[in-house]
Amino acid sequence: MNSVKDLLDQHAAVIDVRTPAEYMGGHVAGSINVPLSTIRDRIADIKEMNQPIILCCASGGRSGQATAFLKQEGVVCENGGGWMQLNGLVNS
């Protein structure tokens, strides 16, 4: 199991699963907004990224759901928790 820090070192993509309105209020620089409600529809796009994924949201709940789903689909990913906390890791 990779840690979030390990995945960041591997140039993981950051996917923010909050709503577009929440995302516009602030997000991890370079992250991609894929709302949780659209994850199932975007699975092919996510797999095509061909890199590890770190998911985040406001507190870690929604990103936890997305992480569990993507892992079942064979995607290498981890729950990064709340975006503000993850932003601190990305910028450290």
Side-chain angles (χ1 to χ4, degrees), residues 1-7 10 52 76-78:
M1 182 203 258
N2 294 304
S3 73
V4 170
K5 191 72 175 141
D6 290 340
L7 292 182
Q10 296 171 34
V76 175
C77 61
E78 287 299 328

Side-chain angles (χ1 to χ4, degrees), residues 4-83:
V4 170
K5 191 72 175 141
D6 290 340
L7 292 182
L8 286 172
D9 291 342
Q10 296 171 34
H11 307 288
V14 176
I15 295 179
D16 190 318
V17 299
R18 296 176 297 153
T19 65
E22 288 175 292
Y23 184 79
M24 291 302 293
H27 54 268
V28 175
S31 64
I32 302 161
N33 184 218
V34 181
L36 179 61
S37 61
T38 67
I39 286 282
R40 288 182 188 279
D41 298 333
R42 302 279 305 275
I43 187 69
D45 297 334
I46 292 167
K47 285 184 173 182
E48 282 177 15
M49 294 170 78
N50 206 22
Q51 66 190 115
I53 307 287
I54 299 171
L55 295 114
C56 65
C57 60
S59 65
R62 287 175 282 179
S63 53
Q65 293 175 42
T67 300
F69 171 72
L70 291 175
K71 282 186 174 186
Q72 288 175 347
E73 296 292 321
V75 176
V76 175
C77 61
E78 287 299 328
N79 182 0
W83 79 269

